[in-house]
């Protein structure tokens, strides 16, 4: 996948089954309040398709969106270069990327991928991403660097008053 013309890549693992229409999955077992995340164009995306994400939360807070590629690379797509302030309002659907920002376009590697939404009461970012600057509008870690991110996300979502949801999807070669 490409973000702002730079290659993007997430973990090959068995992911929860998503709603066929929206690509949305229920992750309420990890969440203190309802968070919905989905893709505007379904759960199977072909090479060249744009990835457009929507998020809506029952509670206001600070949104962190992580995109896990099939090869284990992880990208922090929100906050990003255009939205460093990541506070969101309750019950207001937002789109990432926004109009005129960057583009996320499906490319190799293909496979099972997911986007995770974490909403906290205070600004939150994993230690690994804190140390990085934005490149092509987002922050990215390769597979070896992303192990700590998975641990920190699991730790954060086990806390009270943290909202969480994820949307698994599949990327495939051009049809």
């Amino acid at each position: 996948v490409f973000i702002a013309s730079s290659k993007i890549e997430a973990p090959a693992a068995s992911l929860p089954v998503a709603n066929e229409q929206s690509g949305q999955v229920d992750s309420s077992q990890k969440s203190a309040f309802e968070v919905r995340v989905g893709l505007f164009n379904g759960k199977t995306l072909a090479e060249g398709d744009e990835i457009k994400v929507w998020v809506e939360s029952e509670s206001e807070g600070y949104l962190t969106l992580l995109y896990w590629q099939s090869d284990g690379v992880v990208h922090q797509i929100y906050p990003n270069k255009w939205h460093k302030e990541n506070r969101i309002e309750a019950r207001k659907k937002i789109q990432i990327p926004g109009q005129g920002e960057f583009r996320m376009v499906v490319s190799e590697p293909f496979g099972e991928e997911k986007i995770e939404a974490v909403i906290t009461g205070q600004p939150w970012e994993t230690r690994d991403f804190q140390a990085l600057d934005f490149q092509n509008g987002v922050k990215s870690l390769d597979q070896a660097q992303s192990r700590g991110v998975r641990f920190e996300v699991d730790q954060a979502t086990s806390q009270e008053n943290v909202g969480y949801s994820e949307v698994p999807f599949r990327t495939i070669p051009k049809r």
Side-chain angles (χ1 to χ4, degrees), residues 1-172:
V1 174
F2 283 85
I3 285 185
S5 301
S6 71
K7 193 165 185 176
I8 292 193
E9 309 181 32
S14 69
L15 300 172
V17 177
N19 177 289
E20 189 70 37
Q21 296 289 323
S22 68
Q24 182 179 346
V25 66
D26 177 19
S27 297
S28 56
Q29 71 278 6
K30 283 186 167 184
S31 191
F33 49 87
E34 187 175 8
V35 176
R36 292 173 298 287
V37 59
L39 302 174
F40 281 102
N41 44 356
K43 69 172 194 155
T44 300
L45 303 176
E47 183 175 13
D49 288 349
E50 278 194 62
I51 300 171
K52 292 185 178 180
V53 182
W54 61 265
V55 177
E56 186 175 18
S57 173
E58 167 187 305
S59 179
E60 68 181 10
Y62 293 87
L63 170 64
T64 300
L65 267 184
L66 300 174
Y67 172 26
W68 293 86
Q69 290 186 205
S70 62
D71 63 357
V73 171
V74 61
H75 306 275
Q76 178 185 293
I77 59 174
Y78 198 88
N80 57 47
K81 177 181 172 183
W82 295 270
H83 294 280
K84 292 178 183 168
E85 167 56 46
N86 58 331
R87 186 155 183 78
I88 64 168
E89 297 175 34
R91 295 173 293 287
K92 182 177 178 189
K93 188 182 282 189
I94 63 168
Q95 176 182 320
I96 292 94
Q99 295 291 352
E101 296 176 354
F102 58 95
R103 290 181 58 203
M104 295 190 297
V105 179
V106 174
S107 67
E108 291 183 32
F110 304 113
E112 302 298 318
E113 305 193 341
K114 73 176 173 178
I115 294 178
E116 291 181 307
V118 179
I119 299 179
T120 56
Q122 300 294 321
W124 174 81
E125 186 174 40
T126 71
R127 284 184 289 276
D128 293 321
F129 281 121
Q130 287 174 5
L132 297 176
D133 290 325
F134 293 107
Q135 293 192 351
N136 298 311
V138 300
K139 296 180 179 184
S140 303
L141 293 168
D142 66 28
Q143 184 177 16
Q145 298 170 306
S146 68
R147 289 187 183 106
V149 174
R150 174 78 273 135
F151 175 76
E152 287 190 60
V153 169
D154 290 344
Q155 212 175 26
T157 58
S158 70
Q159 303 297 312
E160 289 184 27
N161 300 321
V162 173
Y164 175 87
S165 188
E166 64 184 44
V167 59
F169 59 100
R170 175 173 293 188
T171 57
I172 59 173

